[in-house]
Amino acid sequence: MSIGYIDEEVSVDTYYMDGEFVKEDDARLSVKDITVLRGYGVFDFLITYNRRPFHLEDHVARFVNSAAEIGLQIRHENSKICDIVLETVQRNAHHAESNIRMVYTGGISPDGVTPQGNGILMVMVTPKMALPGWWYTDGAAVITVDMERFMPISKSTNYLTAIFAQQMARKQGAIEAIYVDRKNRVLEGTTTNIFGVKGSTLVTPPDGILAGITRGVVLKLAEGKHAVELRHIDKDELAAFDEIFICASNKEIVPVIRIDERDVGDGRPGRQTAAIMKSFREYTEAYGRG
């Protein structure tokens, strides 16, 4: 057996699929599953720090809650899902750091629309990919879109709105699209939460959004350092913020320097955002050390 062959084998990722650990190329899902036919299912996403899944229990709790919100029955206890995730990460020890995606499908339905309680759990662990460094040093542009997610508190596999909005963002040279509801209120990004900064005060929408795990950490880190306002933000108010940033599990914290062709503040990442990024980095480094 050649060294090249061994390296190739080691580099193949292992997934958990409905009670089995399989190589990624052997992962199979029925075309009759209503996740495929109707986009009915839920997922959650997290990354590792020092190979430790970040806030795993919180992500699993949100995953299970997402399913409950759309009437999808998950046949696993939270602790069991955590154990499966940890073992899947261990089986992919060739990763320096990992992306972890949990999916629960709608299952096969006789009429192609009615759940039968036979969905399957999938856990996919892949290498964590580095995002462009300039996002964090120079800041990035975002756009707003007049759209709302259906049942935003559930992280469902129905991502038509997000995909459409992301295409609009890319065409305008932006990295993210921020949803604005029919009352002209800013909600969240397609895969992120948003914060505005005025002086040392952080402002973020209180509801109508997905409860981001990273958002929750930012709010905790802000205690004693920043005033925090959980309130609705009118789209027209965006121009009045000194700084804006978005956050998410894979993106962490990204300074926003331009929104809808208008500079945020002086068009450069601000000091408050930089301080929050530093606090978050210190927190994740400590988390990775256990």
Side-chain angles (χ1 to χ4, degrees), residues 42-62:
V42 295
F43 79 100
D44 217 290
F45 178 91
L46 63 154
I47 65 175
T48 63
Y49 290 96
N50 196 26
R51 300 184 178 178
R52 182 186 180 195
F54 189 63
H55 282 258
L56 175 58
E57 294 82 3
D58 293 334
H59 278 279
V60 169
R62 186 175 66 177

Side-chain angles (χ1 to χ4, degrees), residues 14-31:
T14 296
Y15 297 165
Y16 174 88
M17 292 287 296
D18 197 26
E20 296 184 312
F21 291 96
V22 300
K23 297 303 181 184
E24 59 180 301
D25 290 343
D26 296 325
R28 299 287 185 270
L29 180 65
S30 172
V31 296

Side-chain angles (χ1 to χ4, degrees), residues 35-106:
T35 293
V36 177
L37 296 177
R38 309 294 184 186
Y40 178 78
V42 295
F43 79 100
D44 217 290
F45 178 91
L46 63 154
I47 65 175
T48 63
Y49 290 96
N50 196 26
R51 300 184 178 178
R52 182 186 180 195
F54 189 63
H55 282 258
L56 175 58
E57 294 82 3
D58 293 334
H59 278 279
V60 169
R62 186 175 66 177
F63 180 60
V64 171
N65 182 70
S66 290
E69 289 293 333
I70 66 170
L72 176 59
Q73 178 187 356
I74 289 186
R75 298 174 292 158
H76 298 74
E77 298 293 333
N78 289 33
S79 59
K80 177 62 174 177
I81 297 174
C82 288
D83 290 343
I84 290 169
V85 169
L86 290 171
E87 183 168 354
T88 311
V89 171
Q90 291 173 357
R91 288 172 179 258
N92 289 279
H94 54 284
H95 298 171
E97 298 290 1
S98 298
N99 288 337
I100 303 166
R101 185 178 298 271
M102 302 176 289
V103 178
Y104 206 89
T105 76

Side-chain angles (χ1 to χ4, degrees), residues 49 75 85 94 111 124 152 198 218 232 240 247 258 264 270:
Y49 290 96
R75 298 174 292 158
V85 169
H94 54 284
D111 62 3
M124 293 167 280
K198 189 67 175 177
V218 169
H232 296 294
C247 63
R258 196 166 180 79
V264 175

